[in-house]
Each structure stands twice: as C-alpha cells, then as structure tokens.
Amino acid sequence: MNIVNISRSDLMSVESPGRYVGGEYGAVIKENIIQELETTGKCSAVRAAFCFPDVYEIGMSNLAMQILYKCLNDQDYCYCERVFSPWIDMDKVMREKGYELYSMETKSPIKDFDIVAFTLGYEMCYTNVLQMLDLGNIPFRASDRKETDPIVICGGPCAYNIEPMADFFDAVLLGEGEECIVEVASVVKAYKDAGKKSKHDLLIELAKIPGVYIPAFYEAQYEGNKYVGLKKLEESAPDTILKRIITDLDNVSYPTNPIVPNIRIIHDRAYLELFRGCIRGCRFCQAGFICRPVREKSPETLCRQGIEIERNSGYDELGILSLSSSDYTGLKELTDGLLAAFEGHHSSLSLPSLRIDNFALDLMEKVSQTRKSGLTFAPEAGTQRLRDVINKGICEEDIMKSLRLAFAGGWSTVKLYFMLGLPTETMEDVEGIANLAHKIENLYYEVAREVGFKPRKPEITVSTSMYIPKPFTPFQWEKQCTKEEFLEKQGHLRDLLRKSRNIKYIWHDVESSLWEVILARGDRRLCSVILDGYKKGCFYDAWDDKFKFDVWMETLNEHGLTWEMFAREFDVDEALPWGHIDVGVTTKFLKKEREKAYEETITPPCRTKCSACGAQCFKVGECYASK
C-alpha cells in the first residue's frame, strides 16, 4: 500500500494543518482486514475514496458523507476512506513538493483506489472536483482514463443535471445512495473477481443498477446553438433513469458512532434526520420536488439513535434535520423523549427553523439557556401576491401572529429570508419586503406597550438571495433576471431599509448567481468551459473572495457560448439537458404548477389534498394519491 508522507514542516506551514492529518475518533481503519482478504484470496477487496470537493470543515459537516461512509464500511469486502479538497495554501505546497492527493485514514493516493466517489451538493464546487482529480494524478475526462485508473462516480443534488460535468464521470448515481452505492461496490467487486474484463464491461454492468447513469453511453445532440436531446450509443443503456429512494428509513443504515473531527467545523454537532421529502410544494424549491415522496422515521427510532449518538460521540449538541421540521408528525414525542434522556447530561437540542406557535416557543425555551436566541422566518417574497405565485403557503397574518407570540415571550432578534428575481416579481413586490420589515419593527414596540416590559432595541435582519431557476421545479423554464435588474432591485431595497437603524440588510453576490444558473441549467458544452476555467486558476468558486466572474464570462465566450443561452426562458416543449432523468414528479405536473403560478393560485400541501404529482409511482411512504 502506497503512502503519502507529508513532512511536519510542510504541514505546519499551512493554515489549519488539522484538516489533513486524520486520526479522528470514530474513523474506520480496515487496511489490515482488506490486506488479509486479498492475500488469502477469499475475495477481492474494494477500496473507495469518498471525496468532498470543499475544505474539511465543510465536508465534515455533511451528513450524507457520514451516512455513505458507514454504508460502505459495513461491507466486509469494502474499505471507504475520506478525501477533502486542500485549501489554497496546501494546494500550492502539494504542487511544489509533488505530493499526491491522499485519503485521511491511510494517507493512500486516491489514484490507488478502485472507486473515487464525489458528492455534489452545490454547483459552485465543480472546479474543486477537477482540482482533486488533478492533484490525484487521475485524468480529467473519463474517455482519457486507462483500465488501471479508478472509476470516478458522483451523486448528490447536482447529479440531477450532471451534463455540465458529464465528461468527467464514469458513472452518476441518482437519488438516495445508501443502497445504490453498495450495489455499485458489489459490481466492482465482481468485476475484480472476474479478472480480465474491460472497464467498458464494468460500465455495462453498472448501467443495469437502477438509478445509475453512464454518461459515455449517450451523446448530446444540438441543432445550431440549441440542445435537442441525447442519442444512445450503447443499446443496453436505459432511455430514462429513475432516481433511487429508500423505502424504510427506520431500518436503513445510520451513523450512530459518527466521526468526531479534531478541529472545529462549520456545523460542530451531531444530527438526526427526521424525514425525507416535503409536503409543501414551494414552486422555487428543487429539494421539495426531487426528494418526494415524504417518508418519516418513527420517534422511537430517532430517540434511540439520538441517545446512541450522544453516548458514542461525546457531542453535547444534537441537531434535527429535514426540509420542513414543523411538518414532522412525531415532533412533540421526539423532543420530549430526547429532552428527558439528556436531562442532567449537559446535552442540548439544536432546533431548526420552526413555524412559530405556542408549542414551538415552549420548546425553544426548554432547549435554550437564554431567551435571546434569534428567530428565523423565510417569507421568500414581500407581497401576498408573489407568495401565492411561489406557493409559499403563508400569509402576512401568519407571520405577524407568530411574531406577536414571540415578542410577548421575550424574543427580540428576527432574521427574514427573501429572494429577489422570482417569476412575475415587480418593484412593488421588492418594496413589500421593506414594508414587511418595518411592520415587524413596529409590532415589536406595540407588543412591548401591551405587555408592559421595557423594550430592548430589536434586531431585524433582512437577507436576500438571487433567484435561480432550477431543474425539476415548476420554474425550470423561467428566465433569470439580468445583472442590471438584480442590482436595481437590490439597490432600491437597500435604500428603503436605510430608514431604520433596527434593520440590517444582507445581500447575496449577484455575479455568482449569474454563473450558477449556467451550471444548473447547462449541457455538455460546458464541460470544456469548466475545464478551461479551472486551468486558468478558477476553483473554490463557492467562496466569494475566490470567485472570478470575469474569467468565467471570458471562457464562456471563447467557446461560442453566452449567459443568455442558459438564463433565457425555455420553451415548455423543448428538450432539456436533464430530460432523461425521472425523479418521479411528472413534467405534466410541473407544467400545471407553472400555470397555477401565473394564475396566482395555491396548491395545498400533500396532507391536505393529493395533487397527483407522480411520486406515487414509488408506492412507498406517505404519498397521498389514494386518500
């Protein structure tokens, strides 16, 4: 087994050397078992490098990595190790000194693994995938790799339109990966056991696994500058690829003995996942559609897992995760059970953003040592008309009623999240954001007078991001606002909010959103653009101070492409780069939801009334088609 030995002086020359040393509590060490399997000839061992294309502190905050790491290491024949993107300073040291990118557990070069697997949670990490392949001495393009090179695969939310990165992956896993990644490893094991088969034969076998997409088996077709579809090059490849889902969350593998990092990470706590999917149907939200149908874990399972995590990890804070935690039907039973189990342990629950009612406020007081913690609301739009367009499902009265309860209970800090550039948005809708913020400010002082307490200065934060139309949403065909339109709206809102010293305005960078829409809705022509941009020094694009918008626009134009090609309004009947992927939700339903958006009509949550979105095709979970 080859080892990368980085000198102590080189490690001490970079920021946060703890990012690169490994040895954390809970990490799995299996190299002796793997060596025994191979030397005794019992079976072939499969080594998988699980790669997160960002720094250690972000990657170790990713629950999916911990889950899939456990799934693979639970297999006797498989050894999964972690790899993270080196920061700028370490990248420089590795290139200057000739160090290859290595795994955390055994310091093995990633080129020595059978599988190099990336999780893609956001489009702006794409060039870090290339950085990691580059430092690992693995050819960028799948077509350039030799039989002895590892197979490079990916999964995660961005896999639902992987076309801008299709040239770089041998296989793409669509949907939830706990079962699928193990099936991939099993096929790789059989391929190694068979001896002399070619990598093409391996890919044919992988394509037989439901949810696995082999980009090389398809060729993108264009008419002029317009994408018109994929042509199959391998007859056995499926016409469409249906995403994978886990049908029983109570019995699926879950890490109750998680890796505990040696340094402080972004979200430095353990997590429980309440359920998958969402009943709400917000029309801008990709996760709300690609994760359907809703499937819950039982409170009993969650309590047991939470107690085990606290005991095994030593974490004193346990977070709960889902797309809409207030919709978890067992929330009271779960939180009561965990609070009782943690009593006297100095352990606490970290609550997500909840719909504010008496139960939520009571729960926040129970889990907080101080009543000064902030409340978070995401109205998304400033007027009721636009909230109806996006199917947000809340009205101003709901917000004010919740805040009246909160202010009366002693809370004075509020964060409000909005998007600029939503379909049909007008300047009146932008002004509605400022109007709502000022109403909340006035409400605070009104409640103070009613209740009779001396008011502190309220802290109201308004945060806006730029709307990006994403695949598999009712707005996937919409155009994105131009840079000038975004800046005009941003500036106008900033001027309106300056009237109050109690309101702070935070806004997202416009230029990164303009690049992100290209990556989100692009096709295979972007593969060469992304590779050339990386060679010009673009990586860590998700970090504002590292993002180089001008370089990307220059590179895009060098390839005869423009921002408008990908940010324009798409015709509802034209071929889309992600059209060969089936997430269960039908295109017919998405079109209907788009029509209802323009009619400013609400679609009720799934539990209120089934809207026949198509997710019932999975025949599992809480799909309400039959009710």
Side-chain angles (χ1 to χ4, degrees), residues 346-447:
H346 302 288
S347 296
S348 64
L349 283 180
S350 173
L351 296 176
S353 176
L354 298 173
R355 288 196 302 278
I356 301 300
D357 54 22
N358 286 319
F359 163 70
L361 291 175
D362 180 60
L363 179 59
M364 282 187 282
E365 287 198 24
K366 287 180 181 178
V367 303
S368 300
Q369 295 180 355
T370 172
R371 298 176 67 188
K372 296 180 181 179
S373 58
L375 301 173
T376 300
F377 290 83
E380 311 294 0
T383 62
Q384 192 57 47
R385 183 201 70 81
L386 192 52
R387 284 193 288 272
D388 290 345
V389 167
I390 64 176
N391 203 44
K392 182 61 184 175
I394 60 171
C395 63
E396 186 174 304
E397 182 181 353
D398 297 326
I399 299 169
M400 303 305 277
K401 181 180 178 181
S402 296
L403 283 170
R404 179 176 288 277
L405 281 171
F407 291 153
W411 274 266
S412 61
T413 302
V414 180
K415 294 181 181 178
L416 303 167
Y417 290 97
F418 299 90
M419 286 183 284
L420 293 177
L422 288 162
T424 79
E425 182 183 64
T426 65
M427 202 58 81
E428 182 179 344
D429 297 310
V430 176
E431 292 166 356
I433 296 173
N435 293 338
L436 181 59
H438 288 129
K439 286 180 182 178
I440 291 171
E441 179 185 21
N442 293 334
L443 176 67
Y444 176 77
Y445 289 108
E446 179 184 319
V447 171

Side-chain angles (χ1 to χ4, degrees), residues 200 214-221 230-238 524:
H200 183 265
I214 309 297
F217 288 174
Y218 307 81
E219 181 180 73
Q221 304 289 299
L230 290 180
K231 175 185 175 182
K232 278 206 304 184
L233 303 177
E234 173 61 47
E235 188 59 33
S236 63
R524 293 195 187 186

Side-chain angles (χ1 to χ4, degrees), residues 34-101:
I34 295 299
Q35 287 174 354
E36 181 182 352
L37 281 175
E38 294 189 323
T39 55
T40 59
K42 291 181 180 178
C43 71
S44 296
V46 174
R47 298 187 71 199
F50 199 107
C51 301
F52 193 92
D54 212 320
V55 291
Y56 176 90
E57 293 94 316
I58 294 177
M60 283 300 296
S61 300
N62 184 264
L63 180 60
M65 168 170 270
Q66 296 259 15
I67 291 174
L68 298 180
Y69 179 85
K70 180 182 189 306
C71 288
L72 288 172
N73 280 317
D74 281 348
Q75 314 309 309
D76 291 341
Y77 62 86
C78 189
Y79 186 10
C80 180
E81 305 182 42
R82 296 160 298 134
V83 187
F84 301 95
S85 184
W87 185 242
I88 306 296
D89 53 359
M90 187 62 164
D91 178 280
K92 182 180 179 183
V93 168
M94 295 179 75
R95 293 177 194 275
E96 289 178 348
K97 300 296 181 69
Y99 295 124
E100 292 183 308
L101 185 62

Side-chain angles (χ1 to χ4, degrees), residues 114-116 141-147 149-154 166-173 180 183-192 194 196-218 233-238 241 524:
D114 302 299
I115 301 170
V116 172
R141 297 184 189 271
S143 58
D144 293 333
R145 294 181 196 129
K146 303 181 182 67
E147 293 289 328
D149 286 318
I151 63 160
V152 180
I153 68 176
C154 73
D167 287 358
F168 311 122
F169 294 109
D170 295 292
V172 180
L173 281 56
C180 192
E183 291 168 20
V184 168
S186 179
V187 168
V188 172
K189 174 184 172 297
Y191 162 76
K192 292 184 70 177
K196 296 183 179 179
K197 286 189 175 182
S198 69
K199 186 174 286 187
H200 183 265
D201 293 332
L202 170 61
L203 296 180
I204 288 177
E205 292 304 309
L206 290 176
K208 295 177 183 178
I209 299 174
V212 175
Y213 167 47
I214 309 297
F217 288 174
Y218 307 81
L233 303 177
E234 173 61 47
E235 188 59 33
S236 63
I241 302 93
R524 293 195 187 186

Side-chain angles (χ1 to χ4, degrees), residues 204 251 291 394 433 455 467 496:
I204 288 177
N251 291 308
C291 295
I394 60 171
I433 296 173
Y467 176 66
L496 292 171

Side-chain angles (χ1 to χ4, degrees), residues 563-580:
W563 171 82
E564 289 79 7
M565 290 179 181
F566 305 100
R568 65 180 172 84
E569 180 179 357
F570 291 174
D571 186 88
V572 292
D573 294 319
E574 73 176 275
L576 299 173
W578 52 93
H580 55 292

